[in-house]
Amino acid sequence: MSMAALFRGCWNFYKRSNKHVELTLVSCRSMASKTPVGFIGLGNMGTPMARNLLKHGYPVIATDVFPESCKEFQDSGAQILDCPAEVADKADRIITMLPSSPNVIEVYTGPNGILKKVKKGTLLIDSSTIDPAVSKEMAVAAEKMGAVFMDAPVSGGVGAASLAKLTFMVGGVEEEFNAAQELLTCMGANVVYCGQVGSGQAAKICNNMLLAIGMIGTAETMNLGIRLGLDPKLLAKILNMSSGRCWSSDKYNPVPGVMEGVPSANNYQGGFGTKLMAKDLGFAQNTATSTRTPIPLGSLAHQIYRTMCAHSYSNKDFSSVFQFLREEGYSRSSGSDPDSA
């Protein structure tokens, strides 16, 4: 039995008996905490998340398909291995942070995937945003190997990942939640249990649909105000003290020059890519179709972000919808300079 599984067993026993087992629980937690944590996926989100595990004293064993990402993280003190299977051979708690459903399937079930060498009792936490059905498939595959899979997608973006202020939406066996929470609290300010496997993804899809709608609304509002002659900083200030205030206007304003430290202040580099937002909106569209749920604004947001991807915005932050509306929408239809109005 792995050390992490031993800890989870101690915790579950504690919850069932509710007796004086504090010393045993602390001992098990201490032993589990000293074991390495595997981390697969060292991208814009994964790297700062894994760094926060290091800051909390966890030895991290990691891998990524891009050697430059591995080298950078190795310099931070992590051990780098060649493939997910090697990570699974060395760690009994593994976190994955990957771009898409096919990446998750490959990392878990591929020829060099986690499940090729996973140990019984290993806790597998996937923080990617993927199709809930894929999360359920991975959970079944992991269970066949004696491992435990939980989906734990995140909200907050790169800034929150760097500051360990992410929100984790966790789906899986409730008895395993506290073991997952031990690690996730090192990387986030909020760790919320949502229900069975796939429910974390469901919550994330709903959140991102609202985020996209809110960002488009903020971009349209700011663009209209600017065309009406309002100073963008003044308009943002008014919105943020009025009923129109939202996260996109207050914390992540899409207009260059309004805020520092956000992608709009850096030519929309970094942050959460337009391509990823279009992907997440696709999940929302698919699940809405399968559940016969009307999402007229969500569908329109999906169409807008897909159009942006077709017009060279794929790798820009999703707040670049402001630039898209000004430079693409108006100039292409009228042939005029978007700043001339």
Side-chain angles (χ1 to χ4, degrees), residues 260-300:
E260 296 297 326
V262 294
S264 62
N266 187 37
N267 195 30
Y268 300 104
Q269 299 304 305
F272 184 61
T274 294
K275 177 170 58 178
L276 295 177
M277 179 56 85
K279 177 202 71 173
D280 291 357
L281 289 168
F283 293 147
Q285 184 71 69
N286 292 340
T287 54
T289 299
S290 65
T291 57
R292 296 187 176 183
T293 304
I295 54 165
L297 293 181
S299 296
L300 183 56

Side-chain angles (χ1 to χ4, degrees), residues 3 111 231:
M3 193 63 67
D231 176 79

Side-chain angles (χ1 to χ4, degrees), residues 38-40 61-64 81-92 94 96 106-119 122 124:
F39 205 104
I40 300 170
I61 300 172
T63 192
D64 190 272
L81 297 179
D82 290 335
C83 67
E86 292 186 10
V87 173
D89 190 47
K90 300 291 185 181
D92 52 23
I94 301 172
T96 52
E106 177 67 20
V107 161
Y108 278 89
T109 66
N112 294 307
I114 291 170
L115 298 184
K116 292 298 180 181
K117 291 191 176 181
V118 71
K119 305 171 190 175
T122 294
L124 304 170

Side-chain angles (χ1 to χ4, degrees), residues 99-165:
S100 66
S101 295
N103 296 124
V104 170
I105 293 170
E106 177 67 20
V107 161
Y108 278 89
T109 66
N112 294 307
I114 291 170
L115 298 184
K116 292 298 180 181
K117 291 191 176 181
V118 71
K119 305 171 190 175
K120 288 186 178 180
T122 294
L123 177 62
L124 304 170
I125 303 172
D126 181 40
S127 288
S128 318
T129 299
I130 59 173
D131 189 329
V134 174
S135 292
K136 294 175 182 178
E137 290 173 13
M138 296 302 100
V140 171
E143 186 178 13
K144 290 179 181 177
M145 304 302 295
V148 176
F149 178 96
M150 304 186 83
D151 60 304
V154 304
S155 178
V158 175
S162 299
L163 297 172
K165 292 185 177 180

Side-chain angles (χ1 to χ4, degrees), residues 24-340:
T24 302
L25 179 61
V26 170
S27 175
C28 289
R29 181 183 289 276
S30 176
M31 288 187 292
S33 295
K34 292 179 180 177
T35 61
V37 176
F39 205 104
I40 300 170
L42 300 173
N44 289 339
M45 292 293 291
T47 295
M49 289 169 64
R51 280 203 181 113
N52 282 321
L53 288 172
L54 287 173
K55 290 177 183 177
H56 280 79
Y58 290 91
V60 175
I61 300 172
T63 192
D64 190 272
V65 294
F66 294 106
E68 59 272 20
S69 297
C70 292
K71 177 63 170 64
E72 180 183 351
F73 192 50
Q74 188 174 34
D75 292 341
S76 298
Q79 180 182 354
I80 300 297
L81 297 179
D82 290 335
C83 67
E86 292 186 10
V87 173
D89 190 47
K90 300 291 185 181
D92 52 23
R93 292 178 294 176
I94 301 172
I95 298 168
T96 52
M97 187 57 159
L98 303 161
S100 66
S101 295
N103 296 124
V104 170
I105 293 170
E106 177 67 20
V107 161
Y108 278 89
T109 66
N112 294 307
I114 291 170
L115 298 184
K116 292 298 180 181
K117 291 191 176 181
V118 71
K119 305 171 190 175
K120 288 186 178 180
T122 294
L123 177 62
L124 304 170
I125 303 172
D126 181 40
S127 288
S128 318
T129 299
I130 59 173
D131 189 329
V134 174
S135 292
K136 294 175 182 178
E137 290 173 13
M138 296 302 100
V140 171
E143 186 178 13
K144 290 179 181 177
M145 304 302 295
V148 176
F149 178 96
M150 304 186 83
D151 60 304
V154 304
S155 178
V158 175
S162 299
L163 297 172
K165 292 185 177 180
L166 292 168
T167 292
F168 287 89
M169 294 153 270
V170 184
V173 179
E174 188 171 7
E175 289 75 16
E176 305 292 344
F177 173 66
N178 288 285
Q181 189 176 33
E182 178 197 352
L183 296 177
L184 300 181
T185 51
C186 297
M187 301 176 286
N190 304 292
V191 182
V192 183
Y193 180 70
C194 299
Q196 295 302 304
V197 170
S199 61
Q201 298 293 350
K204 174 63 185 292
I205 288 169
C206 291
N207 177 79
N208 275 22
M209 182 175 72
L210 180 58
L211 176 62
I213 294 168
M215 180 57 76
I216 293 169
T218 300
E220 288 183 346
T221 297
M222 295 296 296
N223 190 37
L224 176 61
I226 292 168
R227 285 173 171 264
L228 291 171
L230 291 172
D231 176 79
K233 287 187 177 181
L234 175 64
L235 177 56
K237 179 180 179 180
I238 293 170
L239 292 174
N240 293 331
M241 62 174 62
S242 305
S243 56
R245 177 180 176 271
C246 65
W247 186 85
S248 296
S249 67
D250 189 30
K251 303 293 185 183
Y252 211 84
N253 199 285
V255 180
V258 169
M259 295 181 66
E260 296 297 326
V262 294
S264 62
N266 187 37
N267 195 30
Y268 300 104
Q269 299 304 305
F272 184 61
T274 294
K275 177 170 58 178
L276 295 177
M277 179 56 85
K279 177 202 71 173
D280 291 357
L281 289 168
F283 293 147
Q285 184 71 69
N286 292 340
T287 54
T289 299
S290 65
T291 57
R292 296 187 176 183
T293 304
I295 54 165
L297 293 181
S299 296
L300 183 56
H302 185 212
Q303 179 183 338
I304 289 170
Y305 277 102
R306 287 182 63 189
T307 302
M308 288 174 66
C309 289
H311 289 86
S312 72
Y313 287 83
S314 291
N315 296 320
K316 291 190 174 186
D317 180 75
F318 81 107
S319 63
S320 63
V321 66
F322 172 78
Q323 184 183 56
F324 171 74
L325 290 173
R326 283 176 69 78
E327 297 184 359
E328 297 290 342
Y330 293 113
S331 65
R332 284 178 179 270
S333 61
S334 65
S336 63
D337 182 347
D339 293 317
S340 64

